[in-house]
Each structure stands twice: as C-alpha cells, then as structure tokens.
C-alpha cells in the first residue's frame, strides 16, 4: 500500500537510533527492510545513519537529515525505559513540547488490563505537539509523524507494521527500475565493456557487484533507471558484452 | 590480534559506500561485523553511515567523520569498475593526488598470470599519495590507510581479512565490558526498577532491549562499562530487581 504518486523523485533517509546496534550486540535489519521497500514503491533512499542513545547526536542527525531529504524514517528508542529518548530528542529538534497525548493514552488504556497503565507505559504516550500518531497492528504504543520525520519502533515486526502505515500516507515518486545480468567471471574482465556501455547510457546507472563463493568470483551487473525501454536496451547491450567476454575465454 | 593498548577511549565510525545497500539489493553485514569486533578489542564505534556512489557525498562523509572520530573504517567501492570511486573520493577528501602505486602494482602482478594485468585491474592499484597499503590474505587488490581513514573492500570476506590487518596496526582503548540479565517480562514491568538502578550507577550504561517471539515480550537488560567490579555490582542489583518483579507476578 502506498499513498499518492507524484511525477518527480521522492527522497528519504533512515536514522537508526541505539547503542545496541553500534556495540554489535544487535544486528540491524531495519535499514535493509526499509531500503528494499522504498525501492519497490518509488522512494529513493539516499542515506542511512546509525547513532547512539545520546541526545545531542540524535537531535543533530534529525535536523541534518530532515533538511536534506523529503522524508526521514527513524527506528528505535520509543519504548518505556529510561534509555528510550527518541521522542524527547525529536521534540527538541522541532522546538516543540513533548506532551502526554490523549489519543496515545487511549490506545494504551485499551490495550492493558484495568490499572495496568503504569508510569513506564505512560512514557510511551508522550508525543511531540502537533504530531500525527502511527498506530500499528502489532503493539499498542504508537509511533508518530511530525513534519517529514516518521518515528518508529526498533523491534522489526513492529517497525514493519508502522512502515506500512507511514508509506500509505506519503506520496511516492517514479519507481526506480532495475535489471540484473549475471556474469560468471570476475569484474575486472567486464570492466572495460561495462564502462563503454555506461558512456552510451548516461541516463542509467550501471553497477558492478562482485561475489565470491568457494574461492571463485562472479559478478552481478545491475542496470538502474526509471525508463523501462532504456533499461531493456542497456540490458541487451550488457548481456551481449558478457557473452562476448565469456565466449572469448572458452 | 590488535595493536598497542592505550588507557583512554578510542573512537571510530564506519562509512559504508554503495548504491546497492541503499537500494536494498544487498543487505549490509559489514557494520555489524565491525561493531562487534570493535567492542571485543576496545574501540568505541560511535556512528555508522551508508552513502551512495556519489563523489560529493563520499567526500563530505569522509571529511566529517575523520574530524570527529579517532578512526574511520570505510567499506566498498575499491574494485576495478567505473562505479568504484572510493579511492578517488578519499584522495580528494585529503587533497592529495591519486597515483598508480608501485607496491600495489607489484601485488597485482604477482597475482595475475603474465599479461593479465589489464587496465581495469590496474585501476585497483591507484592509491592516494602517502597512504599505507592494507594487504589481505583473500584477494590481491589492497585497501589502504591514509591519516585515520582505513579504506577496505565491500565483499565481506575480503573486508574481514583487511580489518584484521587494520586492527593489528592501531592502538585500542580500555574495553567496554557488558553483562546481560534476561527478564521474562515486557520492559514496562521493569522500567521503574531499572531507572532507579541506573541512577545508582551513573558511571555505567543500562540498556533495555525488548524482544518479541510468538507474540510474547521479554527483555534483555544490558549493563555496559569499563570497570568489572562495578558491572558485577550492577548486575546483582538488576538480577535482584528482575527476580522481585517476576516473583510478584507469580
């Protein structure tokens, strides 16, 4: 599901917040998920950052990224414990107060048994003034959108549910399309041919991605662009070039 | 293996370079590997960034990060194809020429059969003036270190071999130690107790990491710091707090 489609390019950045990612204790999977999803729906992910649970770092990253990109997706730091400071930092970045939000309180009250809404849980109902809630089907505590910043949970299943909601509300752009040609040789064998094709197709992006398995190299050649006919033409040129290189070797 | 140990804290950032990560086509595993390795040897990873194959973005990120942290580890973009522009960008960031390095040429010549060192492969011997090579046991093309920036391959196996070399050459600091206490309850149940213990141990960092499996929440409470005796004391306090919360519920 996604919102309105616009003719131009829609850009975004991901900001992952959490000491546990930078210590290596937890391996981030949210960047890869968001990256793939953005490509599929027509949002160009242009940058990703991981910062620690330090207020000045989070505020600086939020303000730096929201000024540069159409959208910023943050993950992590919106739980009930003392180390969850994302909402505080985003409010500070926007210069607005962080208030107990009656809509968020109602969501939490409906979720917990009577009397279960303790002080820690209420912490998750503190939302920057003027924000829109991001409800989700997995957990009661919402994320929120303020300006072009979308604040989501760090737990992947919850983040993914929130991302569905967010992408249903924002415009997406013309999709970046891609074609992949596999070359059963190392990339130095096809580098010259690929560079020549790139010169013939300046409107497309040709990437070369080496892989190594059992000590042997192969290469995926990926052609990216927004015009399907141009991609078809470039794909044919790359495939012919690879066939010529492979044929010459055998 | 690691170099000299210094008494203070040694900081670092990771810079991942590559369109393929931001498109979601390739899922980065280098950040997690470097993060875990840094923690194990006494380097504090403070930030990670992923940027596209765009010269201005790479130059700005290299210069921004090398000014803030003791070390910058880059991955990706040092292969033989036209889209491998990391060496060019790092040379520009340092304001030095990118030259065909005779040491790197010799490594490549030794690796390929006679006559095999074509123009594309020679591209991998272009090294910024004044840099030290990072040889590796997996592939012939070296990475390099210039100033506090360590430029490595993107292919994980090669990056890992290069990282072994790099960490053997740089000083590491006092190790960040950690203890983990598992709580079989959601984090809102232990949030108040954890905040109180954090207040008692301002020299340590107490993190709370919720997990969800089969629809049930549990929480890992992670205590981090550089003094083992203080960690022992905090671990005992956290374990007692969790036992009290779990006992009260049953």
């Amino acid at each position: 599901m996604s919102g309105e489609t616009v003719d131009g390019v829609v850009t975004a950045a991901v900001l992952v917040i959490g000491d546990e990612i930078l210590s290596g204790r937890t391996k981030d999977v949210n960047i890869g998920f968001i990256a793939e999803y953005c490509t599929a729906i027509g949002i160009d992910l242009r940058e990703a950052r991981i910062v620690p649970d330090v207020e000045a770092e989070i505020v600086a990253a939020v303000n730096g990224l929201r000024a540069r990109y159409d959208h910023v997706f943050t993950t992590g730091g919106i739980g009930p414990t003392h180390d969850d400071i994302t909402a505080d930092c985003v409010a500070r970045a926007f210069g607005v107060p962080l208030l107990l939000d009656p809509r968020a309180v109602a969501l939490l009250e409906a979720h917990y048994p009577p009397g279960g809404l303790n002080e820690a849980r209420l912490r998750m109902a503190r939302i920057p003034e003027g924000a829109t809630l991001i409800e989700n089907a997995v957990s009661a505590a919402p994320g929120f959108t303020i300006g072009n910043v979308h604040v989501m949970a760090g737990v992947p299943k919850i983040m993914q549910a929130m991302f569905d909601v967010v992408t249903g509300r924002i415009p997406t752009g013309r999709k970046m399309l891609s074609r992949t040609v596999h070359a059963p040789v190392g990339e130095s064998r096809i580098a010259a041919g690929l560079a020549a094709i790139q010169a013939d197709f300046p409107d497309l992006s040709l990437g070369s991605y080496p892989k190594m398995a059992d000590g042997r190299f192969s290469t995926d050649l990926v052609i990216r662009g927004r015009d399907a006919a141009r991609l078809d033409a470039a794909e044919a040129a790359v495939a012919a070039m690879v066939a010529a290189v492979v044929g010459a070797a055998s």
Side-chain angles (χ1 to χ4, degrees), chain A residues 114-131:
Chain A
L117 193 50
N118 63 22
E119 196 179 336
R121 287 169 177 161
L122 263 181
R123 198 178 148 79
M124 297 189 286
R126 299 176 314 137
I127 305 286
E129 189 175 58

Side-chain angles (χ1 to χ4, degrees), chain A residues 15 17 54-64 66 74 84-99 126-131 144 146-147 149 151:
Chain A
L15 178 63
I17 297 164
V54 174
E55 179 174 300
E57 299 293 329
I58 300 169
V59 171
V62 167
N63 280 334
R66 74 186 174 101
T74 83
D84 290 305
I85 61 172
T86 298
D88 307 71
C89 295
V90 172
R92 175 158 298 198
F94 278 84
V96 301
L98 185 67
L99 304 172
R126 299 176 314 137
I127 305 286
E129 189 175 58
F144 59 85
I146 179 168
V149 177
V151 175

